Coordinates of all heavy atoms in Angstrom, one line a residue:
T844 N 29.5 47.2 -42.0 CA 29.0 45.9 -42.1 C 27.6 45.8 -41.4 O 27.3 46.8 -40.6 CB 29.9 44.7 -41.4 OG1 30.0 45.1 -40.0 CG2 31.2 44.9 -42.0
F845 N 26.7 44.9 -41.6 CA 25.4 44.8 -41.2 C 25.3 43.5 -40.4 O 26.0 42.6 -40.5 CB 24.4 44.8 -42.2 CG 24.2 46.0 -42.9 CD1 24.9 46.3 -44.1 CD2 23.4 47.1 -42.3 CE1 24.8 47.6 -44.7 CE2 23.3 48.4 -42.9 CZ 24.2 48.6 -44.1
Q846 N 24.4 43.4 -39.4 CA 24.0 42.2 -38.7 C 22.9 41.5 -39.6 O 21.8 42.0 -39.7 CB 23.4 42.6 -37.3 CG 22.9 41.2 -36.6 CD 24.1 40.4 -36.1 OE1 25.2 40.9 -35.8 NE2 23.8 39.1 -36.1
F847 N 23.3 40.3 -40.2 CA 22.4 39.6 -40.8 C 21.7 38.6 -40.1 O 22.3 37.9 -39.2 CB 23.0 39.0 -42.2 CG 23.3 39.9 -43.2 CD1 24.8 40.4 -43.1 CD2 22.6 40.4 -44.1 CE1 25.2 41.2 -44.1 CE2 22.9 41.4 -45.1 CZ 24.3 41.8 -45.0
G848 N 20.3 38.3 -40.3 CA 19.6 37.3 -39.5 C 19.4 37.9 -38.2 O 19.2 39.1 -38.0
S849 N 19.1 37.0 -37.3 CA 18.9 37.6 -35.8 C 19.9 36.8 -34.9 O 20.4 35.8 -35.2 CB 17.5 37.2 -35.4 OG 17.3 35.8 -35.4
G850 N 20.0 37.6 -33.7 CA 21.0 36.9 -32.8 C 20.7 37.7 -31.4 O 20.1 38.6 -31.4
A851 N 21.2 37.0 -30.4 CA 20.9 37.5 -29.0 C 22.3 38.0 -28.5 O 23.3 37.1 -28.6 CB 20.3 36.4 -28.1
Y852 N 22.4 38.9 -27.9 CA 23.7 39.5 -27.3 C 23.3 39.9 -25.9 O 22.4 40.5 -25.6 CB 24.2 40.6 -28.3 CG 24.4 40.1 -29.6 CD1 23.4 40.1 -30.5 CD2 25.7 39.7 -29.9 CE1 23.5 39.9 -31.8 CE2 25.8 39.3 -31.4 CZ 24.8 39.4 -32.2 OH 24.9 38.9 -33.5
A853 N 24.4 39.9 -25.1 CA 24.3 40.4 -23.7 C 24.1 41.8 -23.8 O 24.8 42.5 -24.5 CB 25.5 39.9 -22.8
F854 N 23.3 42.4 -22.9 CA 23.0 43.8 -22.9 C 22.5 44.3 -21.6 O 21.7 43.6 -21.0 CB 21.9 44.1 -24.1 CG 21.6 45.7 -24.1 CD1 22.2 46.6 -24.6 CD2 20.2 45.9 -23.6 CE1 21.9 47.7 -24.6 CE2 19.8 47.2 -23.7 CZ 20.7 48.3 -24.3
S855 N 22.9 45.3 -21.1 CA 22.3 45.9 -20.0 C 22.2 47.5 -20.3 O 23.2 48.2 -20.4 CB 23.2 45.7 -18.7 OG 22.6 46.3 -17.7
G856 N 21.1 48.0 -20.4 CA 20.8 49.4 -20.7 C 19.7 50.1 -19.9 O 18.8 49.4 -19.4
Q857 N 19.8 51.3 -19.7 CA 18.8 52.1 -19.0 C 18.7 51.4 -17.5 O 17.7 51.7 -17.0 CB 17.4 52.0 -19.8 CG 17.4 52.3 -21.1 CD 17.7 53.9 -21.4 OE1 17.2 54.7 -20.6 NE2 18.4 54.2 -22.3
G858 N 19.8 50.8 -17.0 CA 19.7 50.4 -15.7 C 18.9 49.1 -15.6 O 18.7 48.5 -14.4
T859 N 18.3 48.5 -16.7 CA 17.5 47.3 -16.7 C 18.1 46.2 -17.4 O 18.3 46.3 -18.6 CB 16.1 47.6 -17.2 OG1 15.5 48.7 -16.7 CG2 15.2 46.5 -17.2
P860 N 18.6 45.2 -16.6 CA 19.3 44.1 -17.4 C 18.3 43.3 -18.4 O 17.2 43.1 -18.1 CB 19.6 43.1 -16.2 CG 19.6 43.9 -15.1 CD 18.6 45.0 -15.2
G861 N 18.7 43.1 -19.5 CA 18.1 42.4 -20.5 C 18.9 41.7 -21.5 O 20.1 41.9 -21.4
Q862 N 18.3 41.1 -22.4 CA 19.0 40.5 -23.6 C 18.7 41.2 -24.8 O 17.6 41.5 -25.1 CB 18.5 38.9 -23.7 CG 19.2 38.1 -24.5 CD 20.5 37.6 -23.7 OE1 20.7 38.0 -22.7 NE2 21.4 36.8 -24.4
L863 N 19.8 41.6 -25.5 CA 19.6 42.3 -26.8 C 19.5 41.4 -27.9 O 20.2 40.4 -28.1 CB 20.9 43.2 -27.2 CG 20.8 44.2 -28.2 CD1 19.7 45.2 -28.0 CD2 22.2 44.9 -28.4
A864 N 18.3 41.6 -28.6 CA 18.0 40.7 -29.8 C 17.9 41.5 -31.1 O 17.3 42.6 -30.9 CB 16.8 40.0 -29.6
C865 N 18.5 41.2 -32.2 CA 18.6 42.0 -33.4 C 18.2 41.2 -34.6 O 18.4 40.1 -34.6 CB 20.0 42.7 -33.6 SG 20.5 43.8 -32.3
A866 N 17.6 42.1 -35.6 CA 17.3 41.3 -36.8 C 17.5 42.3 -37.8 O 17.4 43.6 -37.7 CB 15.8 40.9 -36.8
Y867 N 17.8 41.8 -39.0 CA 18.2 42.8 -40.2 C 17.5 41.9 -41.4 O 17.7 40.8 -41.5 CB 19.6 42.8 -40.4 CG 19.9 43.6 -41.4 CD1 20.2 45.1 -41.3 CD2 20.3 43.1 -42.8 CE1 20.5 45.8 -42.6 CE2 20.8 43.9 -43.8 CZ 20.8 45.2 -43.7 OH 21.2 46.1 -44.8
A868 N 16.8 42.6 -42.3 CA 16.3 42.0 -43.5 C 16.3 42.9 -44.6 O 16.1 44.2 -44.6 CB 14.7 41.7 -43.2
D869 N 16.5 42.4 -45.7 CA 16.5 43.1 -47.0 C 15.1 43.3 -47.4 O 14.1 42.7 -46.8 CB 17.1 42.3 -48.3 CG 18.5 42.0 -48.0 OD1 19.2 42.9 -47.4 OD2 19.1 41.0 -48.6
E870 N 14.8 44.4 -48.3 CA 13.5 44.8 -48.7 C 12.8 43.6 -49.2 O 13.4 42.6 -50.0 CB 13.6 45.8 -49.7 CG 12.2 46.4 -50.1 CD 12.6 47.5 -51.0 OE1 13.5 47.9 -51.5 OE2 11.4 48.4 -51.3
K871 N 11.5 43.4 -48.9 CA 10.5 42.3 -49.2 C 10.7 41.1 -48.4 O 10.3 39.9 -48.9 CB 10.5 42.1 -50.7 CG 10.0 43.2 -51.5 CD 10.0 43.1 -53.0 CE 9.6 44.4 -53.6 NZ 9.6 44.2 -55.1
A872 N 11.7 41.0 -47.4 CA 12.0 39.9 -46.6 C 11.5 40.2 -45.3 O 11.1 41.4 -45.0 CB 13.4 39.5 -46.6
S873 N 11.5 39.3 -44.3 CA 11.1 39.5 -43.0 C 12.2 39.6 -42.0 O 13.2 38.7 -42.0 CB 10.1 38.4 -42.5 OG 8.9 38.5 -43.2
A874 N 12.2 40.5 -41.1 CA 13.1 40.6 -39.9 C 12.5 39.8 -38.7 O 11.3 40.1 -38.4 CB 13.5 42.1 -39.6
V875 N 13.2 38.7 -38.2 CA 12.6 38.0 -37.1 C 13.5 38.2 -35.9 O 14.6 38.0 -35.8 CB 12.6 36.6 -37.5 CG1 12.0 35.6 -36.4 CG2 11.8 36.3 -38.8
I876 N 12.6 38.8 -34.8 CA 13.3 38.9 -33.5 C 12.8 37.7 -32.7 O 11.6 37.4 -32.7 CB 12.8 40.3 -32.9 CG1 13.3 41.3 -33.6 CG2 13.2 40.3 -31.4 CD1 14.7 41.7 -33.4
S877 N 13.7 37.0 -32.0 CA 13.4 35.9 -31.0 C 14.2 36.3 -29.8 O 15.3 36.3 -29.8 CB 13.8 34.6 -31.6 OG 13.1 34.5 -32.9
C878 N 13.4 35.9 -28.7 CA 13.9 36.1 -27.3 C 14.2 34.7 -26.8 O 13.4 33.8 -27.2 CB 12.8 36.8 -26.4 SG 12.7 38.6 -26.8
P879 N 15.0 34.6 -25.7 CA 15.1 33.3 -25.2 C 13.8 32.8 -24.5 O 13.0 33.5 -24.2 CB 16.3 33.5 -24.0 CG 16.9 34.8 -24.6 CD 15.9 35.6 -25.3
S880 N 13.8 31.5 -24.4 CA 12.5 30.9 -23.7 C 12.3 31.7 -22.5 O 13.2 31.9 -21.6 CB 12.8 29.5 -23.6 OG 11.7 28.9 -23.0
G881 N 11.0 31.9 -22.2 CA 10.6 32.6 -21.0 C 10.7 34.0 -20.9 O 10.3 34.8 -19.9
Q882 N 11.3 34.7 -21.9 CA 11.4 36.3 -22.1 C 10.4 36.6 -23.2 O 10.0 36.0 -24.1 CB 12.8 36.5 -22.3 CG 13.8 36.1 -21.2 CD 15.1 36.7 -21.4 OE1 15.5 37.5 -22.3 NE2 16.1 36.2 -20.5
T883 N 10.2 38.1 -23.1 CA 9.4 38.7 -24.0 C 10.3 40.0 -24.5 O 11.0 40.5 -23.8 CB 7.9 39.1 -23.5 OG1 8.0 39.9 -22.4 CG2 7.1 37.8 -23.3
I884 N 9.7 40.5 -25.6 CA 10.3 41.8 -26.1 C 9.6 43.0 -25.2 O 8.4 43.1 -25.2 CB 9.9 42.0 -27.6 CG1 10.6 40.8 -28.4 CG2 10.3 43.3 -28.0 CD1 10.1 40.7 -29.8
T885 N 10.5 43.5 -24.4 CA 10.0 44.6 -23.5 C 10.4 46.0 -24.1 O 9.7 47.0 -23.6 CB 10.7 44.4 -22.1 OG1 12.1 44.5 -22.3 CG2 10.3 43.2 -21.6
C886 N 11.3 46.1 -25.0 CA 11.6 47.4 -25.6 C 12.1 47.3 -27.0 O 12.9 46.3 -27.3 CB 12.6 48.1 -24.6 SG 13.4 49.5 -25.2
I887 N 11.7 48.2 -27.8 CA 12.4 48.4 -29.2 C 13.4 49.6 -29.0 O 12.9 50.6 -28.9 CB 11.3 48.6 -30.3 CG1 10.3 47.3 -30.3 CG2 12.1 48.7 -31.7 CD1 11.0 46.1 -30.6
S888 N 14.6 49.1 -28.9 CA 15.7 50.2 -28.8 C 16.0 51.0 -30.0 O 16.6 52.1 -30.1 CB 16.8 49.8 -28.0 OG 17.4 48.7 -28.6
F889 N 15.8 50.2 -31.1 CA 16.2 50.9 -32.4 C 15.3 50.2 -33.6 O 15.1 49.0 -33.5 CB 17.6 50.8 -32.9 CG 17.9 51.3 -34.2 CD1 18.3 52.7 -34.3 CD2 18.1 50.5 -35.4 CE1 18.7 53.1 -35.6 CE2 18.3 51.0 -36.6 CZ 18.7 52.3 -36.6
A890 N 14.9 50.9 -34.5 CA 14.3 50.4 -35.8 C 14.3 51.3 -36.8 O 14.0 52.5 -36.6 CB 12.7 49.9 -35.5
S891 N 14.7 50.9 -38.0 CA 14.8 51.7 -39.1 C 14.5 51.0 -40.4 O 15.2 49.8 -40.7 CB 16.2 52.3 -39.2 OG 16.2 53.2 -40.4
F892 N 13.6 51.4 -41.3 CA 13.3 50.9 -42.5 C 13.7 52.0 -43.5 O 13.3 53.1 -43.5 CB 11.9 50.6 -42.8 CG 11.5 50.1 -44.2 CD1 12.1 49.0 -44.7 CD2 10.7 50.9 -45.0 CE1 11.7 48.5 -46.0 CE2 10.5 50.5 -46.3 CZ 11.0 49.3 -46.9
G893 N 14.7 51.6 -44.3 CA 15.5 52.5 -45.2 C 16.9 52.0 -45.6 O 16.9 51.0 -46.0
V894 N 17.8 52.8 -45.2 CA 19.2 52.2 -45.4 C 19.9 52.4 -44.1 O 21.0 53.2 -43.9 CB 19.9 52.9 -46.6 CG1 19.4 52.4 -47.9 CG2 19.8 54.4 -46.5
P895 N 19.6 51.7 -43.0 CA 20.2 51.9 -41.7 C 21.7 51.3 -41.9 O 22.0 50.6 -42.7 CB 19.5 51.0 -40.8 CG 18.9 49.9 -41.7 CD 18.6 50.8 -43.0
A896 N 22.7 51.8 -41.0 CA 24.0 51.4 -41.0 C 24.3 50.9 -39.7 O 23.6 51.1 -38.7 CB 24.9 52.8 -41.2
G897 N 25.4 50.2 -39.5 CA 25.9 49.6 -38.2 C 25.6 48.2 -38.1 O 25.3 47.5 -39.1
T898 N 25.9 47.8 -36.8 CA 25.6 46.4 -36.5 C 24.8 46.3 -35.2 O 24.6 47.4 -34.6 CB 27.0 45.7 -36.2 OG1 27.6 46.3 -35.2 CG2 27.7 45.5 -37.5
C899 N 24.3 45.1 -34.7 CA 23.7 45.0 -33.5 C 24.4 45.7 -32.4 O 25.6 45.4 -32.1 CB 23.4 43.5 -33.3 SG 22.4 43.3 -31.9
G900 N 23.8 46.6 -31.7 CA 24.2 47.2 -30.6 C 24.7 48.6 -30.9 O 25.0 49.5 -30.1
S901 N 24.9 48.9 -32.3 CA 25.3 50.3 -32.6 C 24.7 50.6 -34.0 O 25.3 51.2 -34.9 CB 26.9 50.3 -32.9 OG 27.3 49.3 -33.8
Y902 N 23.5 50.4 -34.3 CA 22.7 50.7 -35.5 C 22.6 52.2 -35.5 O 22.6 52.9 -34.4 CB 21.3 50.1 -35.6 CG 21.3 48.6 -35.9 CD1 20.7 47.7 -35.2 CD2 21.8 48.2 -37.2 CE1 20.7 46.3 -35.5 CE2 21.8 46.8 -37.4 CZ 21.1 45.9 -36.7 OH 21.1 44.6 -37.0
A903 N 22.6 52.8 -36.7 CA 22.3 54.2 -36.9 C 21.3 54.3 -38.1 O 21.5 53.7 -39.1 CB 23.7 54.9 -37.2
Q904 N 20.3 55.3 -38.0 CA 19.5 55.5 -39.1 C 20.0 56.5 -40.1 O 21.0 57.2 -39.7 CB 18.1 56.1 -38.6 CG 18.3 57.6 -38.1 CD 16.9 58.0 -37.5 OE1 16.2 57.2 -36.8 NE2 16.6 59.2 -37.6
S905 N 19.7 56.3 -41.3 CA 20.3 57.3 -42.4 C 19.5 58.6 -42.3 O 18.3 58.8 -42.1 CB 19.9 56.7 -43.7 OG 20.0 57.7 -44.8
A906 N 20.2 59.7 -42.5 CA 19.8 61.0 -42.6 C 18.8 61.3 -43.8 O 17.9 62.2 -43.7 CB 20.9 62.1 -42.5
T907 N 19.1 60.5 -44.9 CA 18.2 60.7 -46.1 C 17.1 59.7 -46.4 O 16.5 59.9 -47.3 CB 19.1 61.0 -47.2 OG1 20.1 59.7 -47.4 CG2 20.1 62.3 -47.0
C908 N 17.3 58.5 -45.8 CA 16.5 57.4 -46.3 C 16.0 56.5 -45.1 O 16.7 55.6 -44.7 CB 17.1 56.5 -47.3 SG 16.1 55.2 -47.8
H909 N 15.0 57.0 -44.3 CA 14.6 56.4 -43.2 C 12.9 56.7 -43.0 O 12.7 57.9 -43.0 CB 15.3 57.0 -41.9 CG 14.7 56.7 -40.6 ND1 14.6 55.4 -40.1 CD2 14.0 57.5 -39.8 CE1 14.0 55.4 -38.9 NE2 13.7 56.7 -38.7
V910 N 12.2 55.9 -42.6 CA 10.7 56.1 -42.2 C 10.8 56.4 -40.9 O 11.0 55.5 -39.9 CB 9.8 54.9 -42.5 CG1 8.4 55.0 -42.1 CG2 9.9 54.6 -44.1
G911 N 10.4 57.6 -40.5 CA 10.4 58.2 -39.1 C 9.6 57.5 -38.0 O 9.9 57.4 -37.0
Y912 N 8.5 56.7 -38.6 CA 7.7 56.0 -37.6 C 8.0 54.4 -37.6 O 7.0 53.8 -37.1 CB 6.3 56.5 -37.7 CG 5.8 56.2 -39.0 CD1 5.3 55.1 -39.7 CD2 5.8 57.4 -40.0 CE1 4.9 54.9 -41.0 CE2 5.3 57.4 -41.3 CZ 5.0 56.2 -41.8 OH 4.6 56.1 -43.1
T913 N 9.1 54.1 -38.1 CA 9.4 52.7 -38.0 C 9.3 52.0 -36.7 O 8.7 51.0 -36.5 CB 10.9 52.5 -38.7 OG1 11.0 53.0 -40.0 CG2 11.2 50.9 -38.8
K914 N 9.8 52.6 -35.8 CA 9.9 52.1 -34.3 C 8.5 51.9 -33.8 O 8.1 50.9 -33.2 CB 10.7 53.0 -33.5 CG 10.8 52.7 -32.1 CD 11.7 53.4 -31.3 CE 11.6 53.1 -29.8 NZ 12.5 54.0 -29.0
A915 N 7.5 52.9 -34.2 CA 6.2 52.8 -33.6 C 5.5 51.6 -34.3 O 4.8 50.9 -33.7 CB 5.4 53.9 -33.9
V916 N 5.9 51.3 -35.7 CA 5.3 50.2 -36.4 C 5.7 48.8 -35.7 O 5.0 48.0 -35.4 CB 5.5 50.1 -37.8 CG1 5.1 48.8 -38.4 CG2 4.9 51.4 -38.5
V917 N 7.1 48.7 -35.5 CA 7.6 47.6 -34.9 C 7.1 47.4 -33.4 O 6.8 46.3 -33.0 CB 9.2 47.6 -34.9 CG1 9.8 46.4 -34.4 CG2 9.6 47.6 -36.4
E918 N 7.0 48.3 -32.6 CA 6.5 48.2 -31.2 C 5.0 47.8 -31.4 O 4.9 46.8 -30.5 CB 6.5 49.7 -30.4 CG 8.0 50.1 -30.2 CD 7.9 51.5 -29.5 OE1 7.0 52.3 -29.9 OE2 8.9 51.8 -29.0
R919 N 4.2 48.2 -32.1 CA 3.0 47.6 -32.2 C 2.8 46.2 -32.6 O 2.0 45.4 -32.0 CB 2.2 48.4 -33.3 CG 0.7 47.9 -33.4 CD 0.0 48.9 -34.5 NE 0.7 49.1 -35.7 CZ 0.6 48.2 -36.8 NH1 0.0 47.1 -36.7 NH2 1.2 48.5 -38.0
L920 N 3.7 45.7 -33.4 CA 3.8 44.2 -33.8 C 4.6 43.5 -32.8 O 4.2 42.1 -32.7 CB 4.5 44.2 -35.1 CG 3.7 44.8 -36.3 CD1 4.6 44.9 -37.6 CD2 2.5 44.1 -36.6
C921 N 5.5 43.9 -32.0 CA 6.4 43.1 -31.3 C 6.3 43.2 -29.9 O 6.7 42.1 -29.2 CB 7.8 43.3 -31.7 SG 8.1 42.8 -33.5
L922 N 6.0 44.3 -29.3 CA 6.1 44.4 -27.8 C 5.3 43.4 -27.1 O 4.1 43.1 -27.5 CB 5.8 45.8 -27.4 CG 6.8 46.9 -27.5 CD1 6.2 48.2 -27.0 CD2 8.0 46.5 -27.0
G923 N 5.8 42.6 -26.0 CA 5.0 41.8 -25.2 C 5.1 40.3 -25.9 O 4.6 39.3 -25.4
Q924 N 5.7 40.2 -27.0 CA 5.8 38.9 -27.7 C 7.1 38.2 -27.4 O 8.1 38.9 -27.1 CB 5.6 39.0 -29.3 CG 4.5 39.8 -29.7 CD 3.2 39.0 -29.4 OE1 3.1 37.9 -29.6 NE2 2.2 39.7 -29.0
N925 N 7.2 36.8 -27.5 CA 8.5 36.0 -27.3 C 9.3 36.3 -28.6 O 10.5 36.3 -28.6 CB 8.1 34.6 -27.1 CG 9.5 33.8 -27.0 OD1 9.7 33.2 -28.1 ND2 10.2 34.0 -26.0
S926 N 8.6 36.4 -29.7 CA 9.2 36.6 -31.1 C 8.2 37.3 -32.0 O 7.0 37.3 -31.8 CB 9.6 35.3 -31.6 OG 8.7 34.4 -32.0
C927 N 8.8 37.9 -33.0 CA 7.8 38.5 -34.0 C 8.6 38.7 -35.2 O 9.8 38.6 -35.4 CB 7.4 39.8 -33.5 SG 8.7 41.1 -33.5
S928 N 7.8 38.6 -36.3 CA 8.3 38.9 -37.7 C 7.8 40.1 -38.3 O 6.6 40.4 -38.3 CB 7.9 37.6 -38.5 OG 8.4 37.8 -39.8
V929 N 8.6 41.0 -38.7 CA 8.3 42.3 -39.5 C 8.6 42.2 -40.8 O 9.9 42.1 -41.2 CB 8.9 43.4 -38.7 CG1 8.2 44.6 -39.3 CG2 8.4 43.3 -37.3
L930 N 7.6 42.3 -41.8 CA 8.0 42.4 -43.3 C 8.5 43.7 -43.7 O 8.0 44.9 -43.3 CB 6.6 42.0 -44.0 CG 6.8 41.7 -45.5 CD1 7.6 40.5 -45.8 CD2 5.4 41.6 -46.2
A931 N 9.6 43.7 -44.3 CA 10.4 44.9 -44.7 C 9.8 45.4 -46.2 O 10.4 45.2 -47.2 CB 11.8 44.7 -44.8
T932 N 8.6 46.0 -46.2 CA 8.0 46.5 -47.4 C 7.5 47.9 -47.2 O 7.3 48.3 -46.1 CB 7.0 45.6 -47.9 OG1 5.8 45.7 -46.9 CG2 7.4 44.2 -48.1
T933 N 7.5 48.5 -48.3 CA 6.9 50.0 -48.2 C 5.5 49.9 -47.9 O 4.9 50.9 -47.1 CB 7.1 50.7 -49.6 OG1 6.6 49.9 -50.7 CG2 8.6 51.1 -49.9
D934 N 4.8 48.9 -48.3 CA 3.3 48.7 -47.8 C 3.2 48.6 -46.3 O 2.4 49.2 -45.7 CB 2.6 47.5 -48.5 CG 2.4 47.7 -49.9 OD1 2.4 48.8 -50.5 OD2 2.1 46.6 -50.7
N935 N 4.0 47.9 -45.6 CA 4.0 47.8 -44.3 C 4.4 49.0 -43.5 O 3.8 49.3 -42.4 CB 5.0 46.6 -43.8 CG 4.6 46.1 -42.5 OD1 3.6 46.0 -42.1 ND2 5.6 45.6 -41.6
F936 N 5.3 49.8 -44.0 CA 5.5 51.1 -43.3 C 4.9 52.3 -43.9 O 5.1 53.5 -43.5 CB 7.1 51.2 -43.4 CG 7.8 50.1 -42.4 CD1 8.3 48.9 -43.0 CD2 7.8 50.5 -41.2 CE1 8.8 48.0 -42.1 CE2 8.4 49.5 -40.2 CZ 8.7 48.3 -40.8
G937 N 4.1 52.1 -44.9 CA 3.2 53.2 -45.4 C 3.9 54.2 -46.3 O 3.1 55.1 -46.8
E938 N 5.2 54.1 -46.6 CA 5.8 55.1 -47.5 C 7.0 54.5 -48.0 O 7.6 53.6 -47.4 CB 6.0 56.4 -46.8 CG 7.0 56.4 -45.6 CD 7.3 57.9 -45.0 OE1 6.5 58.2 -44.0 OE2 8.2 58.4 -45.7
D939 N 7.6 55.1 -49.2 CA 9.0 54.8 -49.6 C 9.8 55.9 -49.4 O 9.7 57.0 -49.8 CB 8.8 54.5 -51.1 CG 10.0 54.1 -51.6 OD1 11.2 54.1 -51.0 OD2 10.0 53.4 -52.8
P940 N 10.8 55.8 -48.3 CA 11.6 56.9 -47.9 C 12.6 57.4 -48.9 O 13.1 58.5 -48.8 CB 12.2 56.4 -46.7 CG 12.3 54.9 -46.9 CD 11.0 54.5 -47.6
C941 N 12.9 56.6 -49.9 CA 13.9 56.9 -51.0 C 13.6 56.0 -52.2 O 14.3 55.0 -52.3 CB 15.4 56.7 -50.4 SG 15.7 55.1 -49.5
Y942 N 12.7 56.5 -53.0 CA 12.3 55.7 -54.1 C 13.5 55.4 -55.1 O 14.4 56.1 -55.2 CB 11.4 56.7 -55.0 CG 10.7 55.9 -56.1 CD1 9.7 55.1 -56.0 CD2 11.3 56.1 -57.4 CE1 9.1 54.3 -57.1 CE2 10.7 55.5 -58.6 CZ 9.7 54.7 -58.3 OH 9.2 53.9 -59.4
G943 N 13.5 54.2 -55.5 CA 14.5 53.7 -56.3 C 15.8 53.1 -55.7 O 16.7 52.5 -56.4
T944 N 15.8 53.2 -54.4 CA 16.8 52.7 -53.6 C 16.3 51.4 -52.9 O 15.4 51.3 -52.4 CB 17.2 53.6 -52.5 OG1 17.6 54.9 -53.1 CG2 18.4 53.0 -51.5
F945 N 17.2 50.4 -53.0 CA 17.0 49.1 -52.3 C 17.1 49.3 -50.7 O 18.1 49.8 -50.3 CB 18.0 48.0 -52.6 CG 17.6 46.6 -52.3 CD1 16.4 46.0 -52.9 CD2 18.3 45.9 -51.2 CE1 16.2 44.7 -52.4 CE2 18.0 44.6 -50.9 CZ 16.8 44.0 -51.3
K946 N 16.0 49.0 -50.0 CA 15.9 49.4 -48.6 C 16.1 48.1 -47.7 O 16.0 46.9 -48.1 CB 14.5 50.0 -48.3 CG 14.6 51.4 -48.8 CD 13.0 51.9 -49.1 CE 12.4 51.5 -50.3 NZ 13.1 51.9 -51.5
H947 N 16.3 48.3 -46.4 CA 16.5 47.3 -45.5 C 15.8 47.6 -44.2 O 15.4 48.7 -44.0 CB 18.1 47.1 -45.1 CG 18.9 47.0 -46.3 ND1 19.1 45.8 -47.0 CD2 19.7 47.8 -47.0 CE1 19.9 46.1 -48.0 NE2 20.2 47.3 -48.1
L948 N 15.6 46.6 -43.4 CA 15.0 46.9 -42.0 C 16.0 46.3 -40.9 O 16.3 45.2 -41.1 CB 13.6 46.1 -42.0 CG 12.9 46.2 -40.6 CD1 12.6 47.6 -40.2 CD2 11.6 45.3 -40.6
A949 N 16.4 47.2 -40.1 CA 17.1 46.8 -38.9 C 16.4 47.0 -37.7 O 15.7 48.0 -37.4 CB 18.4 47.6 -38.9
I950 N 16.3 46.0 -36.8 CA 15.6 46.2 -35.5 C 16.5 45.8 -34.3 O 17.2 44.7 -34.5 CB 14.3 45.3 -35.5 CG1 13.3 45.6 -36.7 CG2 13.6 45.4 -34.1 CD1 12.2 44.5 -36.8
Q951 N 16.5 46.4 -33.3 CA 17.1 46.1 -32.1 C 16.2 46.1 -30.9 O 15.6 47.2 -30.8 CB 18.2 47.1 -31.9 CG 19.2 46.8 -30.7 CD 20.3 47.8 -30.8 OE1 21.2 47.7 -31.5 NE2 20.2 48.7 -29.8
A952 N 16.0 44.9 -30.3 CA 15.0 44.8 -29.2 C 15.7 44.5 -28.0 O 16.8 43.8 -27.9 CB 14.0 43.9 -29.6
V953 N 15.1 44.6 -26.8 CA 15.5 44.2 -25.4 C 14.5 43.1 -25.0 O 13.2 43.2 -25.0 CB 15.5 45.3 -24.4 CG1 16.0 44.7 -23.2 CG2 16.5 46.3 -24.9
C954 N 15.0 41.9 -24.6 CA 14.2 40.8 -24.2 C 14.4 40.7 -22.6 O 15.5 40.9 -22.1 CB 14.6 39.5 -24.8 SG 14.4 39.4 -26.6
A955 N 13.4 40.5 -22.0 CA 13.5 40.3 -20.5 C 12.4 39.5 -19.9 O 11.3 39.3 -20.7 CB 13.5 41.7 -19.7
M956 N 12.4 39.0 -18.8 CA 11.4 38.2 -18.0 C 10.1 39.0 -17.7 O 10.3 40.3 -17.5 CB 11.9 37.6 -16.7 CG 13.1 36.7 -17.0 SD 12.6 35.1 -17.3 CE 13.4 34.1 -16.2

């Protein structure tokens, strides 16, 4: 199963308490990450454009269909923001990791003060 839309979940990772926020979007739609009021996106702990599997807190990238620099693109757009929207398109990520396959974008971020 996949996490559709965005949601906030309790999370404490790397010894730094924070709020886990996830978003999932079909190809040509936008994945929207939103932090609680007063918090910003401090870390992108997972991002995959291709055919990611799993749910918020346990996403996994595909071995055969994943843009390797998805996380860097999402970090550039989202770090330091209260919320951000990332378009799930091959144009946005610069390549098509698996031509002819319908792709998705999964993002997992940490929100903190």
Side-chain angles (χ1 to χ4, degrees):
T844 62
F845 290 97
Q846 175 70 32
F847 291 95
S849 65
Y852 302 85
F854 176 74
S855 180
Q857 310 288 322
T859 306
Q862 194 78 2
L863 187 62
C865 294
Y867 182 88
D869 292 334
E870 189 171 9
K871 298 183 181 175
S873 291
V875 179
I876 293 283
S877 296
C878 292
S880 180
Q882 295 187 9
T883 60
I884 299 166
T885 58
C886 172
I887 302 299
S888 55
F889 179 87
S891 178
F892 178 65
V894 289
T898 59
C899 187
S901 63
Y902 284 125
Q904 70 186 40
S905 166
T907 58
C908 183
H909 164 73
V910 174
Y912 47 86
T913 303
K914 186 176 173 184
V916 171
V917 174
E918 286 174 339
R919 179 177 49 82
L920 295 170
C921 297
L922 286 179
Q924 306 295 317
N925 173 261
S926 66
C927 73
S928 177
V929 183
L930 191 59
T932 64
T933 54
D934 286 345
N935 200 31
F936 291 97
E938 67 178 86
D939 188 335
C941 46
Y942 185 77
T944 299
F945 190 72
K946 288 160 276 300
H947 310 277
L948 173 61
I950 303 171
Q951 182 173 291
V953 176
C954 299
M956 298 274 231

